[in-house]
Amino acid sequence: MHRKLRLRNRQDFNRVYRGGRSFANSQLVVYWSKKPDIPQFRLGVSVSKKLGNAVVRNRMRRVLKEIVRIHAERIADHTDLILIARKPSVQMTSKELEKSVLHVLKKANLLKPRPPRSSS
């Protein structure tokens, strides 16, 4: 993830928590808010100490950021997102976590529609 695509300061997190909407599944919660002055989306990741030690938390952060980076072109622009990992996500493989991230983003209506495939 590029540095400019990250939510980093407390004010941005509080703005999204207070003024945004949220959707969840059993592994993740996503809070999101529209931000019209920013052309692309920005991402913040939150992993609680309840999930494990620093090694576990940092791994979760890295995996979640990588999943979002891979699917960045599908995520709605002008949006600030916060992904919060829940306890069951720690035992998941990267593929399962990817499906879970896409599920919660789709539930929040934050994924752009896929372009139609052309049959050749």
Side-chain angles (χ1 to χ4, degrees):
M1 293 269 338
H2 293 292
R3 179 166 251 149
K4 64 184 174 186
L5 298 180
R6 287 192 225 146
L7 278 181
R8 297 181 51 197
N9 61 14
R10 180 179 222 95
Q11 293 158 334
D12 286 338
F13 272 81
N14 286 337
R15 182 184 53 76
V16 174
Y17 284 136
R18 288 196 184 109
R21 300 184 62 194
S22 68
F23 288 89
N25 59 20
S26 61
Q27 300 88 19
L28 298 165
V29 180
V30 63
Y31 281 87
W32 65 276
S33 173
K34 288 291 184 187
K35 186 85 167 142
D37 58 335
I38 297 174
Q40 66 275 4
F41 73 92
R42 296 188 305 172
L43 174 71
V45 178
S46 177
V47 182
S48 169
K49 282 188 174 184
K50 294 177 186 178
L51 269 60
N53 62 16
V55 174
V56 172
R57 294 192 312 269
N58 286 326
R59 180 187 172 278
M60 283 300 299
R61 255 191 294 282
R62 284 194 311 270
V63 170
L64 290 172
K65 285 180 185 178
E66 179 64 11
I67 290 168
V68 171
R69 186 192 68 79
I70 290 169
H71 296 284
E73 73 282 348
R74 293 186 58 201
I75 298 174
D77 295 328
H78 307 288
T79 308
D80 285 347
L81 310 168
I82 299 174
L83 276 176
I84 302 171
R86 288 181 166 175
K87 191 78 170 167
S89 63
V90 175
Q91 277 77 35
M92 297 175 75
T93 65
S94 295
K95 272 292 186 204
E96 292 169 334
L97 207 51
E98 182 177 9
K99 284 178 72 173
S100 183
V101 168
L102 292 175
H103 173 260
V104 79
L105 291 176
K106 184 177 180 181
K107 197 172 169 182
N109 202 20
L110 294 173
L111 291 180
K112 296 175 188 171
R114 286 187 175 180
R117 292 183 180 183
S118 59
S119 56
S120 320

